[in-house]
Amino acid sequence: MNIIGITSCTCGIAHTYMAREKLIETGKKLGWSVKIETQGSGGIEYPLTAEDIQNADCVILATDVAVSGTERFKGKPVVKVPVSVAIKSPEHLLKQIEQKLNK
């Protein structure tokens, strides 16, 4: 499974990066490729490339605020969740995505 996404919290600091790390760690545990862009007080970090987007099976928007650049994901399945979901239950989130994509 190849997952990409964006994380962003209201302050754009701690929870943005915590969610990114949890999703990446959980993806590795499941044997998936996970690349997450952050949008926060420091601007955009770890930007997604056109190739990342093209190869993605699904996009996760784990955000508590509006993010820019979502038009890049047109035609891709997009899952929107609060950033807390990515932090507290990333494995459950990724497994739900897998179930929906395999239907």
Side-chain angles (χ1 to χ4, degrees):
M1 188 77 53
N2 191 3
I3 303 292
I4 61 169
I6 298 175
T7 60
S8 187
C9 66
T10 53
C11 292
I13 305 172
H15 289 115
T16 298
Y17 298 99
M18 289 170 59
R20 178 182 183 272
E21 291 305 314
K22 290 284 189 177
L23 290 169
I24 291 171
E25 288 173 12
T26 303
K28 284 181 185 176
K29 178 181 168 184
L30 297 173
W32 297 7
S33 170
V34 178
K35 184 168 182 185
I36 304 293
E37 174 179 294
T38 59
Q39 293 187 18
S41 59
I44 295 174
E45 295 184 77
Y46 314 103
L48 298 169
T49 66
E51 184 178 356
D52 294 331
I53 296 165
Q54 179 182 347
N55 294 331
D57 296 309
C58 186
V59 179
I60 297 173
L61 299 179
T63 64
D64 293 335
V65 295
V67 292
S68 63
T70 57
E71 69 281 349
R72 300 174 284 173
F73 309 132
K74 186 176 181 178
K76 295 287 180 183
V78 176
V79 175
K80 296 180 184 181
V81 297
V83 82
S84 62
V85 170
I87 293 170
K88 293 178 184 174
S89 54
E91 187 167 346
H92 180 72
L93 173 61
L94 293 180
K95 286 184 176 182
Q96 278 189 315
I97 290 169
E98 181 179 41
Q99 287 177 352
K100 288 184 180 181
L101 291 177
N102 288 332
K103 284 188 177 180

